[in-house]
């Protein structure tokens, strides 16, 4: 059994999800290879030590460079705020480590390209944490589309809306600064629906017409709530899209969409049917087939089950339900298989770079009030 | 009791809906004035006579000009295919008749302007059949927005998708020809969601970035199905929008959206809440309020009832359900009240003209690949 | 064209629904025969005159006996409170009138039998206002079952829950007195789901095990709200059922079920599929077919449309929606056809009597704490 | 940190769920104590060894008695078919082990009593695997009820329907034999909804009126499918209930309910509101409050989130979704806390025994066609 040693950098929101996935994946999936939870970095040695104990890592450090430089680490898992992704990834690649990075890959398309190029040249493997496409239900959607069950796709509508910054009284944080986060809602969550669109349709977005808006222009300083600080990036964005084959699409994203807790949704229309999905009901896919008996047509609610991709390892009964962390567990399975069996992993840095270009094209289009080809970026 | 005499022109799909509304309205609403079903025109005297009998009209004719010129007719109700709207309306206005016309008002914005100007100069009253906004449920949405219950509106997403032309084997008809219908999905059903957007937000759309596509480029000739004929207008369209106050929006429309039987939907996000609606569940409104106890937040499904606008005349119990024709019945109530009590009617030709301009701006934007101000039209 | 003259007695909640249906039916359905709105009775001549004007009746009276005895009246339509049904119906039958009565037919099964026997002996036609089964959507459910699409039915679950008396502060009214209403929730709304069960399955309920409860034992006197008055019948009831063929079932009814505005629902399980319905979404039927591809199984949401029974006369497009009054309009169509073309009408007094027996068997079972055969009543 | 050593017996469907929960729980919950996966038994040493490797257990055996007798095992986890629960549990208790058993506790109430008495006398701790009540969403329902948010509970309706034996061609298995399974649908899944009812209402069911039916009376022999074998227990069952305080209720259960993949549902009506839930949407609770503004009443869909019990350890964002195995992970957390911190665990063998008595009372009532007090069992 081949073993790969993981170095985890960052243990906040998403780092914790990785840890749960690391814990669960070996039991859920009966794999040939395995991961060892080798080394963990946080901003102080104390926090690192505490998290290593909680997450089951062997060693810990207060300096992420230790992880990147450690000869016993095979893959570096980057769960830091966005602005550190590039520096850590390049350092890890330089040491010949594989890299498993959270999204968005970088603050700009240029940075993402640098990372993608470095990984390609170094010949290391990469994986980006677009976990929603790992959900068995979205894999089922992909399968239905690939099979041609809804005919040829003619339209894509997708959203990733949340409301984590909906209250104007919520203090400003790093997500709102260009230097720390890059784009706003687009980079933080819009990236997911862009990746999902490309995954589901199996083709790239090639041109866009976007619109961006910062609705809440100032937010309280977290230290002194009477003081207001400028928000530097967009709260909401929409974009018309065209895919490579000419398919029309629209995406929308917002971090101030009241009531949306996990508002990743898509509706994919084909010449023979339609798929509809919302991540808030992550174990349900709605499917309409136009060739059904006209008196018995309708959207069917399919509950994900063992006959669908990557569900059965979780449960042998349909409709029993998969959770958020289960998606990440599938992603970690891909990491284990990718590294211990030398299989391709996806979405890789190339896809991460593509997503960054599209996001930037949307922003550029909004500035210039015209359609922008992704190739312009 | 003041009485107004109606002349109906056209008895197809929508003419029949008008007839049902005429029959039902006086009993549903206990009004001061009343309508008399005076005169009915169809393309032959025989068909006209038959329909007059079915619909309860006193007299009938095979020539619509007879209706327009009849001194006993006070209001002309136009339910013909789109390309006839202008000629009939102008003729009726010339005779000093009030005009109740189906949507879209005309084939082009220019024609719509001509009609609007003529009505204004003649001082006649006008009403356009955007019936979906008459639904008590959408009236409730308007009330919630106007009250500020969801704060300030920051985003509008709306669709009017149907699948009546989804099958490539469906023969071509007048909807697909520019000379008969003008625009395609945009004119036929997109007009409804444009009007709905303006109604709900209480402000106008001022600039757009659109995209149009004819997916099924040829359809069988209805006479000889082996022969294929060119489709001349769009099957689907999307557009980013900005309203007068700067609010962002997106609308989508399609006549080939498999599975959508009455796919008029909207999601309206405000700074304090969100409204969500689909016409396929026309008696339900979903409402989320961000100021609810955070542990008890969620979208509430409100069933329309007697405490909401224009429901109680249909039924004194909530949740018992209103139907498609009931919307038209509210519209006809507005007609009766408007004409017999000399009250304003809305949407009038001005709104019909505004909608036409927006539709045309979307088409122009799609051609020029840039944002277009509605004022350019 | 044969004409039948109607005498309406009672113009409250349900009388008004009848009036709307009378107004709408001739235009919706293009029939050979027609109704004339001849005579209307209310408790005072003044109210009667006002309602006759509103509803379009020719003549009016403050004494229902005038209607029953009028030689120009062919059918008596009874929309009074329950306790008057029997007396009026028997008087009408004695005069050889056909009778169209609201449900429940009578206060007791014995009274219902008397009415049924009288009608049979007099050879008059009867119709009982179980309007929910006239809904095209429930007619579709019946068609699916009859076709064997869900195999053999093995289980019925149905409810008719509302919340019109959910607040303990709602004053007592006639529904709560045995002498005026008979049973409580069972008689008022439970009757509908009993009739629906028998309609959908096409067979009778033969034995029951019931449970009844008066939760709010006293209510304010409407005149003096500080005074509390005893509630004499049940607020909620449940019953296990067996149908003639041995099929198991359960029904529940309540007039204090918070949140249920029109909570008539059913789930019908067969050996090959399942149907699920709720009247609050009266234009949707959910259908599951077990023989579907196992990887594509799920409940399909069918929107009622022109391919389903009695929908097309309302609208030629699917999914556009039918309302509460449209059900009554179908019922009135059945009345017109039944009387002018001498066709059978159903549910008739025989069915009304059957429903009364079942309701009484449920009450008896609750008293005796054992299963009761409907034949015992 | 206190450590407790687990011996797992049985690694099928539910044993695997336990293993996933054991893997995940320590990372999800940051606990004072921990479990060691000590010993695992299966029917052959080979299978045991393989599963021990897969599930991360140290040692394995082909004889469950080895686990029960091992001095290093502190708690015995029973995941075998039902008919072995009693023998293993009694043997484990005799050795002073704590017992964590799957449901139903035993084949009969008498056996369950024996187990409960033995555990009580030995002073060992017990936990029964009624995992659905561990779901944060159902815990939220419990909290709402306990807080009095829906007033006093007046009605409970619950189901646990599945369709795993819906096809008559599915071969017979141990679930269908009295000697192996005891009751049919009631014991296998009905037990869950009985436990859920008692958990949610916080009181016991005291009398029942039940009905049972074996619809598919014979099934193919798994070895020779041309041969049909008798099914010995019920496919479906329904029962009216009364709780200790007099609250009315109804439960239904079926293993042949086409389309129900995880059909555990409940509707709980109170004097001031109603809760509605379906396990197929396990992260959603519907809540109606009657004291809301009458014009804004409706069922609110609450997505479970970090403000609700036991959700936050899985994810700090609301609406991101919990899965089936997450419920078991909460259950295992209860086990760890119960054993390492000497806290009470529930549902324990007392509750398991209560559930068995109720199931048996339902069966007895069905036989005798009358209400049965649970005390009669």
């Amino acid at each position: 059994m081949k073993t790969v040693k993981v170095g985890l950098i960052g243990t906040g929101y998403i780092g914790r999800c990785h840890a749960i996935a690391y814990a669960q994946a070996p039991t859920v999936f009966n794999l040939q290879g395995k991961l060892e939870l080798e080394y963990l970095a946080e901003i102080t040695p104390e926090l690192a030590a505490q998290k290593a104990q909680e997450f089951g890592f062997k060693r810990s450090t207060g300096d992420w460079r230790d992880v990147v430089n450690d000869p016993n680490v095979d893959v570096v898992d980057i769960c830091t705020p966005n602005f550190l992704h590039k520096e850590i990834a390049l350092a890890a690649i330089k040491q010949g480590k594989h890299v498993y990075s959270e999204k968005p890959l970088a603050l700009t398309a240029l940075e993402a390209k640098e990372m993608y190029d470095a990984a390609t040249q170094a010949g290391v493997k990469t994986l980006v944490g677009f976990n929603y496409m790992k959900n068995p239900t979205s894999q089922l959607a992909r399968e239905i589309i690939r099979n041609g069950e809804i005919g040829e796709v003619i339209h894509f509508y997708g959203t990733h809306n949340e409301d984590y910054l909906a209250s104007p009284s919520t203090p400003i944080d790093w997500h709102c600064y260009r230097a720390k986060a890059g784009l706003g809602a687009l980079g933080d969550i819009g990236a997911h629906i862009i990746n999902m669109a490309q995954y589901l349709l199996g083709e790239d977005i090639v041109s866009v017409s976007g619109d961006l808006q910062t609705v809440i222009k100032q937010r309280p300083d977290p230290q002194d709530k009477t003081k207001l600080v400028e928000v530097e990036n967009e709260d909401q964005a929409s974009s018309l899209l065209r895919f490579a084959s000419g398919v029309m699409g629209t995406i929308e994203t917002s971090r101030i969409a009241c009531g949306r807790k996990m508002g990743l949704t898509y509706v994919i229309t084909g010449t023979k049917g339609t798929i509809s999905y919302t991540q808030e009901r992550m174990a349900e896919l709605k499917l309409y087939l136009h060739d059904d008996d006209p008196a018995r047509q309708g959207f069917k609610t399919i509950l994900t089950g063992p006959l669908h991709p990557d569900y059965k390892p979780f449960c042998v009964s349909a409709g029993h339900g998969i959770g958020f962390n289960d998606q990440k567990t599938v992603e970690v399975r891909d990491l284990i298989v990718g590294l211990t069996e030398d299989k391709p992993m996806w979405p890789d840095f190339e896809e991460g770079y593509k997503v960054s270009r599209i996001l930037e094209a949307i922003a550029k289009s909004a500035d210039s009030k015209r359609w922008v080809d992704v190739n312009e970026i």
Side-chain angles (χ1 to χ4, degrees), chain A residues 106-112 183 186 208 212 353-367 372-374 376-377:
Chain A
L107 299 194
T108 66
L110 196 68
E111 285 187 12
L183 288 164
L186 273 173
V208 301
L212 270 61
Y353 166 49
K354 283 181 181 176
V355 171
S356 290
R357 286 174 86 189
I358 295 162
L359 296 175
E360 216 158 292
I362 291 170
K364 183 175 179 178
S365 162
D367 275 349
V372 168
D373 278 0
V374 176
E376 294 182 35
I377 306 300

Side-chain angles (χ1 to χ4, degrees), chain A residues 160-164 254 257-265 280:
Chain A
H160 194 144
N161 293 328
E162 300 196 13
D163 66 2
Y164 55 87
S254 173
C258 286
R260 304 304 168 189
K261 306 306 176 187
M262 183 16 78
L264 185 151
T265 70
E280 288 176 353

Side-chain angles (χ1 to χ4, degrees), chain A residues 6 66 92 105 118 128 182 203 207 312:
Chain A
V6 180
D66 294 343
L105 194 48
V128 183
E203 57 170 323
S207 63
K312 198 174 176 182

Side-chain angles (χ1 to χ4, degrees), chain A residues 251-325:
Chain A
I251 59 130
E252 302 198 294
T253 190
S254 173
R255 62 191 182 192
I256 56 166
C258 286
R260 304 304 168 189
K261 306 306 176 187
M262 183 16 78
L264 185 151
T265 70
Y266 50 80
V267 179
I268 302 169
T269 311
T271 51
K272 293 185 173 175
T274 296
I275 280 172
S276 170
Y277 173 76
T278 170
Q279 186 74 25
E280 288 176 353
R281 289 176 175 170
M282 63 181 284
E284 289 186 21
L285 192 71
K286 294 196 191 291
L287 174 64
Y288 173 91
L289 296 177
H290 207 63
D291 291 342
D292 280 357
D293 171 359
R296 297 292 180 271
Q297 287 174 337
F299 277 86
K300 192 189 276 186
T301 301
I302 301 172
L303 301 176
T304 325
L307 299 175
H308 305 137
D310 282 337
Y311 176 96
K312 198 174 176 182
F314 292 95
C315 182
V316 295
S317 298
H320 280 47
I322 37 178
F324 177 71
N325 293 319

